[in-house]
Every structure is written in C-alpha cells, then in structure tokens.
Amino acid sequence: MLAIINANLYPISTSKMTGATMLVENGKIIAVGQNIAIPNDAERIDAATCTILPGWVDAHTHVGLWGEAEGHASYDGNESSSPITPQVRGLDAVNPAHHSFADARSIGTTTVQTGPGSGNILGGEMLTIKTAGNVIDQMVLRAPSGIKSALGENPKRFHGQVMKRMPSTRMGSAAMLREYLIKGREYMAKLKEGKADFDLGLENIAKVLRLELPLRVHAHRADDIVTATRIAAEFQIQISIEHCTEGHLIADYLAEKGFPACVGPTLAHRSKVETQNLSFTTPAILHAAGVKIALITDHPFVPIPFYNVVGALATANGLPEAAALRAMTLSPAEILGVQARVGSLEAGKDADFVIWSGHPFKTRSQVLATYIEGKRVYQKEDSFPA
C-alpha cells in the first residue's frame, strides 16, 4: 500500500483538503481524507508543500496518431480517400511509442481521447485511453468513445477544393451527414427484418442512432455549431461540440440544447477564417451560461505540455478556478463516459494522480511525479519523491 500524506489535495468531486492523506493499493484509491489511519506497512510519501491533483483528462487530442514533423510515414490523421469513413478505427493507428505520450505524462495528463482529424464529414472511431503502456489495446478505457464528424472549413477544403468532389460548401457537408444518418436508419430497419447485408460503416452510425455512442462534431463557427444541434434534433442523437470557438456568441442557445462543449485549441493563432473570434473568454461565458465544458489542447495543434497553461489562461479570463480544474478532469471524464474510473480522487477510482511542486496554474510549478493506476510513470529528475 502507498500512503500520500500531509498533502494539499484537490479531489475535484469535493472541496480542497489540506494535510490530507490518500491511500492507494492494487492500482485503486482506497481512501482520501483527513485523519485516516495509515497501515504500519504502508510506503509513505510526505507531500507537504506539494499539491496533489487527479491526472488531467484531455478530451480532444490526436496523441499517438498524428505525426509531428515525421512526414507522411507517421501521419494517420484523416483517411482522405472519401469524405464518409465512419468504419475506420483510431485504435488501428495509435502508436504507443510516439513521444507525444511521454509529453502527456510529463504534464500530468493521464487520460486522453484521441482519434481521426476533421477532414471528413464522418471520420471514424475515437477512443479514450491511458497515456502509459506499450500495447494500445491494454491502454483503452473506452473504445470507441465516439464517432468523429466535422463541419465547417476543413471538409470543404479537403474534398471540395483539393479533391474536386462533394462537399464544397457547408450545405453539402450537412446534406452528406443527413444522407448517411438516413442510410443508417434504413439499415437498422433492414436489420430488424433480417434483410441487411453487414456494413461496417453503417454499423457504427447505427450505434449513434441507438444512442450507444455520441457524434463528436468538429465545429468552430457559431452557425456550424447550430447546424450540428439542428441535425442532432432531427435524428434525436447525442453530440458533443468539438472546439466551439464561437460558442460564446450563442452560449444561452447552446446551454438550452444541453450538449457539452470541448473548447479549444485556444492557445493558438487564428489559423482559419472560422477561428477569427478565438478568445480565452469563451470557456467562462459558456460556463456562466450553464454549458458543461472541457478544456482541450487538440494536440499537436496546442502541444500537450502546455495544458496547465490553457487552464491558467482560462481562469485569467474569467473562468473560476474550481470550474477550470473540473473542466480538465471530471467534466471531460463525464463527457467521455469514463467518470466511474478517472477524473477525481475518490475511493474506488483508478489511482491516476499527479504530485505538483505548487498550484498547476502557476507557470513556475512543475510536475514532480505522475502516477497511473498506482504506478509512477513519470518523475522529474532529482525531485521529490525519491
């Protein structure tokens, strides 16, 4: 058993504790609180002067799947042969040896959702994984954890402008998404009658229509966000809004619809027309309106080692500190459907936690050690704990 003692501890699900103890055994948190009896044979780590938090949960990345300056050989972001590819699986393209995993562990990110990019109207399966391991199948928390979809500039450019095929407009993108959802309904009806030929793509869209999986819709501009919610209402499906750059312009509308927003990458430049209204005030405005939010890096578009800086800048622009910490831990875990295991420090959950030298939103604070399921997977050289 491992006992972390004398800690300034943020469980996230409850208020901050000082002088707290956390007991860990067999990869799980056994107890968290003050005045907890510590077994005599427990290994003790005195975390006085340190801050303990759950591992970050980054709900939208391309960790392990999107090459970084290695060229086409390691680029597996978009299956660009067609704008409709719901049958492809991110699971088949993630490289656990990619250095982006080590980068994630070094900043205390222990869970990520990773998957296809935004080139296609339907891009394939996303998956939620731990950031340590050698075999991707053993790192999975939930696979698939959603089907990637995209509206706005990217599918227009990838297919209309470059490939000279549909979609070349926003109208075309929405029409193609509707058409495939209708095909999914027809496929489900034929399945009931025993008349359907197996189709891997339609099987996945049927999971969306049966509410077994959400559609995770890339949408920056406010009108694209509204289009996503319109289509969700038409087909009675669950979605999350990925990026939500102009969400602050329609915050009350989005709150009324009840869909969560994964906001970012905000620590970036205005790379496209649809990101001209990029602002770190967006998370605060969405939160104030009642939208469930997660802060994201979209790694590699914002490098994952800057994730704590994203949270710090969101708080500097009006997001309450407690809301920011939740938007990087428990809220994304809920959005990804893995909150029973990760996202907070509670008895029974995975022992995924991070020892910081100070508060993570102070830029001089450092990650001293990162643990996943009770195992130390990162330690800063010459640092506590020994």
Side-chain angles (χ1 to χ4, degrees):
M1 180 178 290
L2 178 65
I4 312 294
I5 62 173
N6 299 323
N8 293 313
L9 190 144
Y10 290 78
I12 304 299
S13 53
T14 57
S15 300
K16 175 189 173 184
M17 301 176 183
T18 57
T21 295
M22 182 168 69
L23 300 182
V24 172
E25 188 171 49
N26 297 325
K28 296 288 185 180
I29 298 170
I30 303 301
V32 179
Q34 294 159 318
N35 303 316
I36 291 176
I38 302 172
N40 292 332
D41 60 348
E43 175 191 354
R44 299 185 182 213
I45 294 178
D46 189 344
T49 75
C50 298
T51 300
I52 310 296
L53 281 136
W56 301 133
V57 179
D58 193 339
H60 184 120
T61 76
H62 305 285
V63 166
L65 188 143
W66 200 292
E68 297 175 49
E70 302 106 295
H72 183 73
S74 68
Y75 171 80
D76 289 297
N78 290 292
E79 176 50 54
S80 57
S81 56
S82 167
I84 301 288
T85 60
Q87 70 274 27
V88 305
R89 296 177 174 176
L91 181 71
D92 296 326
V94 177
N95 174 13
H98 194 267
H99 56 74
S100 52
F101 283 100
D103 287 347
R105 296 191 295 270
S106 73
I107 198 61
T109 300
T110 53
T111 296
V112 296
Q113 180 173 240
T114 188
S118 52
N120 293 349
I121 301 300
L122 286 166
E125 294 182 2
M126 304 186 79
L127 65 154
T128 299
I129 57 177
K130 298 289 184 78
T131 57
N134 297 320
V135 177
I136 186 60
D137 302 72
Q138 297 171 346
M139 298 161 66
V140 167
L141 264 174
R142 185 186 180 196
S145 50
I147 301 297
K148 183 67 179 291
S149 180
L151 299 172
E153 293 179 28
N154 286 0
K156 283 177 53 179
R157 183 175 67 254
F158 278 31
H159 298 285
Q161 185 176 340
V162 177
M163 305 297 287
K164 307 300 182 187
R165 63 190 178 196
M166 193 172 180
S168 62
T169 65
R170 283 180 162 80
M171 296 181 292
S173 295
M176 293 187 79
L177 180 54
R178 281 195 181 91
E179 284 181 340
Y180 204 78
L181 286 162
I182 291 169
K183 285 182 180 178
R185 280 180 172 173
E186 294 171 347
Y187 180 75
M188 291 167 64
K190 289 181 179 177
L191 279 176
K192 281 187 177 179
E193 298 170 359
K195 297 178 180 177
D197 293 327
F198 182 82
D199 185 296
L200 191 55
L202 290 172
E203 281 289 322
N204 272 350
I205 212 67
K207 293 176 183 173
V208 172
L209 290 163
R210 289 194 293 260
L211 303 180
E212 296 170 5
L213 289 175
L215 206 58
R216 304 206 180 275
V217 186
H218 163 114
H220 285 279
R221 216 169 73 177
D223 58 334
D224 291 325
I225 297 169
V226 172
T227 298
T229 64
R230 185 185 310 122
I231 292 174
E234 290 171 14
F235 291 89
Q236 295 294 295
I237 59 175
Q238 292 296 315
I239 64 171
S240 59
I241 303 298
E242 307 294 314
H243 306 305
C244 205
T245 301
E246 289 190 349
H248 58 283
L249 301 180
I250 53 169
D252 291 337
Y253 173 88
L254 196 51
E256 178 187 336
K257 296 301 178 184
F259 297 123
C262 300
V263 185
T266 315
L267 190 65
H269 69 295
R270 294 178 171 85
S271 60
K272 297 180 284 188
V273 173
E274 63 189 9
T275 61
Q276 294 306 296
N277 281 319
L278 188 73
S279 171
F280 264 108
T281 62
T282 302
I285 294 171
L286 290 171
H287 171 72
V291 179
K292 177 175 284 189
I293 61 167
L295 302 179
I296 64 171
T297 61
D298 197 12
H299 178 90
F301 300 100
V302 169
I304 204 163
F306 297 151
Y307 193 36
N308 63 319
V309 179
V310 171
L313 289 172
T315 60
N317 285 273
L319 185 64
E321 178 188 291
L325 291 173
R326 199 181 200 286
M328 301 169 72
T329 52
L330 189 53
S331 290
E334 292 168 347
I335 292 169
L336 299 176
V338 295
Q339 71 275 15
R341 289 187 57 186
V342 300
S344 60
L345 300 179
E346 298 178 74
K349 285 197 172 184
D350 292 1
D352 296 357
F353 62 96
V354 185
I355 302 175
W356 288 82
S357 63
H359 195 286
F361 293 166
K362 293 182 178 178
T363 55
R364 291 187 179 182
S365 294
Q366 295 179 320
V367 172
L368 302 181
T370 301
Y371 291 76
I372 293 181
E373 298 180 13
K375 297 179 181 176
R376 193 179 305 165
V377 295
Y378 168 80
Q379 179 177 342
K380 184 173 176 53
E381 291 183 5
D382 302 323
S383 72
F384 164 91

